[in-house]
Amino acid sequence: MYDLVIIGAGPAGLTAAIYATRANLNTIMIEKGAPGGQIVNTNEIENYTGYQKLSGGDLALNMFNHAMALGANYQFGDVKTITKEHDIFKVITETETYEAKAVIIASGMLPRTLGVENEEQLKSNGISWCAICDGPIYKGEDVIVVGGGNSAVEESIYLASLVNHLTIIQNLAELTADKKAIDILSKAKNVTVHYETLVDKFLVGENGKLAGAVVKDKNGKLTTIEAKGVFEYIGWNPVTYMVKEMGVTDKWGYMLTDEKMATSVPGLFGAGDVRQKQIRQVVTATSDGAIAVQNVLKYLEARD
């Protein structure tokens, strides 16, 4: 029996593990991917307090090593469902069932997809959601980025330094990223932006890999853009399927929590990007993780 199970090892989960370990809670942190969450896919971070500039991978490793150095208990696993009976949570993975007095969901988000023709077929065959992972593959080639927010623009800056030509497909009339990022991108000479344009379908080449995309502008005009790679940055879906039946999420799947990170189910907390919240940044995720553990402690004291 654990005092606390933390689901997810991103910034929120790792911070929660640090605070829980220091509070001597019998805790296990379960993660199905690489520790660090989505920040491992971020080329550069310069807005996390205390670090002027570092890669997302380095920050993730620092956080993970910090938690491990304190003795945090880490386990690889994919949580399928969570139930609660008689004040005890059962966290069920493909191979194990963990019992706990409290649970923090810090499982983050996964990228949305466009749902257009040939997208599914071309996953890992030209379509990617991680520029830092796959960008070097397309050095000297033509690529496409879909999206116009912070992730799209920041990763476009990185890609522009590698590729021959970068085309950005944005469905709005302007880019919505931070002004500084847009200013940096505007200085790149090998970038073209198509505004108020949507991807109609992806094209499959003779080798079964991506050959380009057909896009449609606001007037319905179709244009074919040849490219060897596509990077999609069109938003995210929260990973909360494991609590779908517990009535703690909104219609989009984001967890409904109060300022204490508590849900309507006593002992169940949410932290980080899975929450319904205004800003999703590393600094707010770590804050959520710390707050959640402090209120887990209060819950456990009242429970016992």
Side-chain angles (χ1 to χ4, degrees):
M1 170 74 68
Y2 290 97
D3 294 321
L4 173 64
V5 170
I6 300 166
I7 301 171
L14 287 167
T15 303
I18 289 168
Y19 275 71
T21 302
R22 294 185 71 248
N24 291 323
L25 293 181
N26 183 15
T27 303
I28 187 169
M29 174 173 53
I30 305 171
E31 169 60 59
K32 67 177 181 178
Q38 293 299 328
I39 62 171
V40 301
N41 299 326
T42 302
N43 180 49
E44 193 171 272
I45 293 174
E46 61 176 11
N47 61 353
Y48 186 67
T49 309
Y51 294 93
Q52 293 183 22
K53 186 179 294 185
L54 78 169
S55 72
D58 286 343
L59 180 56
L61 183 61
N62 288 346
M63 290 181 172
F64 182 71
N65 287 341
H66 186 175
M68 294 302 99
L70 289 172
N73 188 1
Y74 170 79
Q75 180 66 46
F76 175 82
D78 185 3
V79 176
K80 297 300 184 182
T81 188
I82 299 172
T83 61
K84 185 183 182 185
E85 298 178 14
H86 309 298
D87 276 350
I88 300 299
F89 290 93
K90 288 187 177 181
V91 179
I92 303 167
T93 71
E94 291 178 322
T95 59
E96 301 286 343
T97 296
Y98 303 88
E99 293 189 344
K101 299 174 184 176
V103 173
I104 295 175
I105 308 293
S107 42
M109 302 187 295
L110 290 175
R112 291 178 186 164
T113 58
L114 293 166
V116 300
E117 185 177 343
N118 296 323
E119 181 182 39
E120 187 67 27
Q121 176 184 345
L122 291 167
K123 287 181 178 178
S124 301
N125 279 313
I127 299 178
S128 174
W129 290 264
C130 178
I132 192 171
C133 307
D134 299 327
I137 297 172
Y138 304 104
K139 187 174 182 179
E141 303 286 359
D142 294 344
V143 302
I144 296 170
V145 167
V146 184
N150 281 323
S151 293
V153 171
E154 289 168 3
E155 301 311 313
S156 290
I157 293 168
Y158 168 67
L159 287 168
S161 69
L162 298 174
V163 304
N164 175 58
H165 190 268
L166 173 67
T167 302
I168 298 175
I169 308 300
Q170 164 67 325
N171 65 327
L172 302 177
E174 60 183 6
L175 299 175
T176 58
D178 294 338
K179 186 178 184 302
K180 181 178 179 180
I182 294 173
D183 288 344
I184 294 172
L185 180 66
S186 68
K187 296 175 183 177
K189 305 300 183 183
N190 60 338
V191 176
T192 301
V193 184
H194 291 264
Y195 296 103
E196 297 180 284
T197 300
L198 299 172
V199 175
D200 186 68
K201 66 179 179 180
F202 292 112
L203 302 174
V204 182
E206 293 181 0
N207 58 0
K209 295 186 177 182
L210 179 88
V214 176
V215 301
K216 181 187 294 186
D217 68 17
K218 63 179 180 179
N219 299 315
K221 179 184 177 182
L222 295 174
T223 302
T224 298
I225 302 173
E226 295 182 358
K228 292 291 183 67
V230 168
F231 295 85
E232 296 182 8
Y233 295 101
I234 58 170
W236 305 85
N237 290 317
V239 181
T240 54
Y241 53 81
M242 70 285 291
V243 290
K244 184 178 180 181
E245 305 302 321
M246 300 187 78
V248 295
T249 59
D250 65 13
K251 64 180 181 179
W252 306 110
Y254 290 100
M255 293 189 71
L256 299 169
T257 65
D258 59 20
E259 62 180 9
K260 298 178 180 179
M261 308 299 138
T263 69
S264 59
V265 175
L268 181 64
F269 299 79
D273 289 350
V274 295
R275 293 180 57 229
Q276 187 185 80
K277 59 191 295 190
Q278 181 183 10
I279 299 175
R280 291 181 173 84
Q281 294 284 305
V282 178
V283 70
T284 63
T286 56
S287 173
D288 286 357
I291 293 169
V293 171
Q294 295 306 306
N295 288 289
V296 166
L297 288 167
K298 293 179 180 179
Y299 168 76
L300 293 176
E301 289 172 0
R303 180 183 182 280
D304 297 335

